[in-house]
Amino acid sequence: MKTKLSDLLRPLMLGALLLSGATAATAQVQPLDRVVAIVDNDVIMQSQLDQRVREVQQTIGRRGAELPSDDVLRTQVLERLITENLQLQMGERSGIRISDEELNQAMGTIAQRNNMTLEQFRTALAGDGLTLEDAREQIRREMVISRVRQRRIAERVQVSNQEVQNFLRSDLGKMQLSEEYRLANILIPVPESADSATVQAAERSANETYQQLQQGADFGQLAVSRSASENALEGGEMGWRKAAQLPPPFDSLVQGMQVGQVTEPIRTPPGFILVKLLEKRGGETQVRDEVHVRHILIKPSEIRSNEESRRLVQRLHDRISAGEDFAELARSFSEDPGSALNGGDLNWVDPNSLVPEFREVMANTASGQLSAPFQSPYGWHILEVLGRRATDASEEFREQQAMTILRNRKYDEELQAWLRQIRDEAYVEIKI
């Protein structure tokens, strides 16, 4: 599935727009912009809010969902802009800079994911009302926010091997690694210091939302108009999650849900949450192809040219073809310190872990056969394929999954708490 440009490029433009008068006789500068929020040492402008609202409206329209009222949408968008602005200011204070080279690589990656050339990418951006320069600035800001989060949150999240093993041995771990779920949520917030009347009002709102969903209301539209989650403007989309990444009781609830089903409102510390199951996948056995291979490496150097290295490898190839022992010649001549003492034996390897030149020659060499001399970034090689096998890598894959699940769960908890903290501690004055 192609990633939509609008999902990858979200406008973050700051500044004011000035327009001169229509006639020379009355020419004057007329401000069309104004401050809508003061956020610590920066401001959010009306033009920035308007542009983001238009972008969100386009995104919701492409999903075919009904738009919420303008006031509701603007409130949601402004809160998102405030949170982003705070993170960008942190990045500025921390000296985070994104180089032109990094931006170029990011642009190329986005174009490639959409199966486009850069020129086609530029045309597609124009169709969304963006220039290539706009896109670069948006991507730069997204990268700054990502790095701020990495510094403030990700580096604090640690998962030990013991935690991974405990998780794998647990009944929940064994069960959760079999499937994953694409979810969306709606959060009806309840302030920490809320009195009983406020809690009851939030509960009524959550129950009304649930009843509307049961009667066929669009989940994404209600998320945009009512949810206080960070992902509200994306229709509540949470992406793919393992059940173990979810707090109780959602971790057990999703296992028994059918695609399209929505949970009843559940009280949590942030408020009342409803979760919808959009898709489920996973549970397959993971098989990895491995090759048993040995090689001899000859490196060009200051005292041996590239051509001389090639000729030496060719002579070694001829000697092996004439019946000399591969392992003995590898121990005597190979300049790969990791395998030379073992007669050039690399043991069973995953082809994907090797450089493309080595991988390609190995793939085209039959078991028991010697390759012709070939060059890689490391130098000149000859290799011999000793065997091939398919290995069940499910256990290793499960360990990787468990590590990712535990890290993501800790990261999500830290991120939501941190976002609330920086919002509460910031000076924010809303002007509309």
Side-chain angles (χ1 to χ4, degrees):
M1 180 183 295
K2 293 184 180 179
T3 304
K4 290 183 179 178
L5 295 173
S6 58
D7 295 330
L8 293 167
L9 306 174
R10 294 182 295 164
L12 295 170
M13 297 171 64
L14 297 172
L17 299 176
L18 299 176
L19 185 65
S20 59
T23 66
T26 60
Q28 60 180 346
V29 175
Q30 299 178 355
L32 297 181
D33 214 348
R34 65 189 180 99
V35 173
V36 295
I38 300 172
V39 184
D40 277 350
N41 299 319
D42 203 354
V43 296
I44 296 173
M45 306 301 294
Q46 183 73 53
S47 58
Q48 182 185 1
L49 177 60
D50 291 343
Q51 184 163 348
R52 179 65 70 84
V53 167
R54 286 194 297 270
E55 177 70 17
V56 172
Q57 287 172 334
Q58 290 174 3
T59 301
I60 296 173
R62 275 191 284 266
R63 289 204 306 263
E66 181 182 350
L67 287 168
S69 68
D70 189 66
D71 287 344
V72 169
L73 183 60
R74 285 180 176 274
T75 299
Q76 288 277 33
V77 171
L78 184 56
E79 277 300 316
R80 173 70 66 84
L81 288 172
I82 289 169
T83 304
E84 289 176 353
N85 189 286
L86 289 170
Q87 294 171 85
L88 289 169
Q89 289 187 55
M90 289 181 178
E92 181 69 24
R93 291 194 296 269
S94 301
I96 295 175
R97 301 288 184 271
I98 307 299
S99 68
D100 287 343
E101 182 181 356
E102 290 174 301
L103 276 175
N104 292 337
Q105 289 178 347
M107 296 288 287
T109 298
I110 294 171
Q112 185 177 27
R113 285 176 181 170
N114 286 273
N115 297 318
M116 297 179 183
T117 65
L118 281 177
E119 189 56 40
Q120 291 171 328
F121 186 43
R122 186 193 299 270
T123 302
L125 289 171
D128 279 352
L130 294 170
T131 67
L132 198 61
E133 290 68 30
D134 291 334
R136 286 173 62 86
E137 177 62 13
Q138 293 162 25
I139 293 170
R140 183 191 69 80
R141 295 185 181 213
E142 291 294 329
M143 292 174 73
V144 169
I145 289 175
S146 177
R147 292 190 183 180
V148 167
R149 292 181 176 186
Q150 287 291 320
R151 290 189 182 184
R152 298 298 181 99
I153 302 170
E155 292 180 355
R156 300 204 306 259
V157 176
Q158 301 294 329
V159 179
S160 68
N161 184 62
Q162 187 61 52
E163 288 178 287
V164 171
Q165 297 306 318
N166 290 343
F167 179 79
L168 289 172
R169 285 194 293 267
S170 70
D171 291 339
L172 181 62
K174 293 174 183 176
M175 183 168 46
Q176 301 315 320
L177 288 175
S178 60
E179 285 186 308
E180 58 182 342
Y181 311 88
R182 188 165 72 89
L183 304 168
N185 75 332
I186 293 175
L187 167 63
I188 307 300
V190 176
E192 291 185 9
S193 57
D195 56 23
S196 59
T198 302
V199 174
Q200 290 172 6
E203 185 174 13
R204 283 195 299 272
S205 177
N207 286 329
E208 290 171 3
T209 301
Y210 178 73
Q211 291 302 321
Q212 290 178 359
L213 291 169
Q214 294 300 104
Q215 294 166 11
D218 182 83
F219 192 97
Q221 191 274 332
L222 288 180
V224 172
S225 62
R226 300 186 183 183
S227 180
S229 279
E230 189 197 6
N231 55 8
L233 296 178
E234 287 75 42
E237 280 264 6
M238 300 167 60
W240 289 97
R241 304 291 177 93
K242 297 293 185 181
Q245 294 175 259
L246 305 172
F250 298 103
D251 55 351
S252 56
L253 281 176
V254 295
Q255 299 169 64
M257 292 174 64
Q258 300 297 317
V259 172
Q261 188 175 351
V262 180
T263 65
E264 294 185 11
I266 296 175
R267 180 71 163 95
T268 68
F272 292 91
I273 295 181
L274 301 89
V275 171
K276 180 176 182 178
L277 176 59
L278 304 174
E279 291 181 77
K280 60 171 68 174
R281 69 184 181 191
E284 303 90 354
T285 299
Q286 299 296 317
V287 177
R288 181 176 64 202
D289 292 326
E290 293 183 327
V291 181
H292 189 188
V293 64
R294 57 182 177 181
H295 80 132
I296 295 174
L297 169 65
I298 302 298
K299 300 178 180 179
S301 65
E302 293 181 359
I303 61 174
R304 184 172 58 216
S305 69
N306 186 64
E307 177 59 23
E308 289 171 335
S309 299
R310 185 197 66 79
R311 288 200 297 266
L312 176 54
V313 165
Q314 183 63 58
R315 288 196 297 271
L316 294 172
H317 176 276
D318 294 343
R319 291 171 65 178
I320 295 170
S321 298
E324 291 193 46
D325 185 67
F326 188 110
E328 287 300 323
L329 291 176
R331 280 189 281 267
S332 300
F333 290 94
S334 182
E335 294 173 312
D336 175 11
S339 66
L341 293 178
N342 296 323
D345 197 341
L346 294 173
N347 213 327
W348 292 97
V349 296
D350 179 354
N352 294 320
S353 67
L354 304 171
V355 295
E357 296 84 356
F358 198 103
R359 182 170 63 244
E360 182 178 352
V361 172
M362 187 173 69
N364 293 321
T365 303
S367 294
Q369 297 298 310
L370 184 67
S371 76
F374 65 95
Q375 191 174 21
S376 83
Y378 297 103
W380 285 90
H381 308 255
I382 49 175
L383 65 78
E384 182 180 9
V385 174
L386 302 177
R388 287 186 166 86
R389 70 183 183 188
T391 301
D392 183 356
S394 299
E395 184 61 32
E396 181 181 337
F397 182 72
R398 282 193 291 270
E399 289 182 357
Q400 292 284 347
Q401 283 186 305
M403 176 69 74
T404 300
I405 288 169
L406 294 173
R407 282 188 62 84
N408 287 345
R409 183 163 63 184
K410 290 185 177 183
Y411 180 88
D412 286 346
E413 292 171 355
E414 290 282 346
L415 175 61
Q416 294 303 321
W418 179 72
L419 289 175
R420 287 196 300 271
Q421 178 187 345
I422 65 173
R423 177 64 174 86
D424 291 343
E425 294 177 351
Y427 173 77
V428 177
E429 182 180 346
I430 296 176
K431 297 288 191 177
I432 56 174

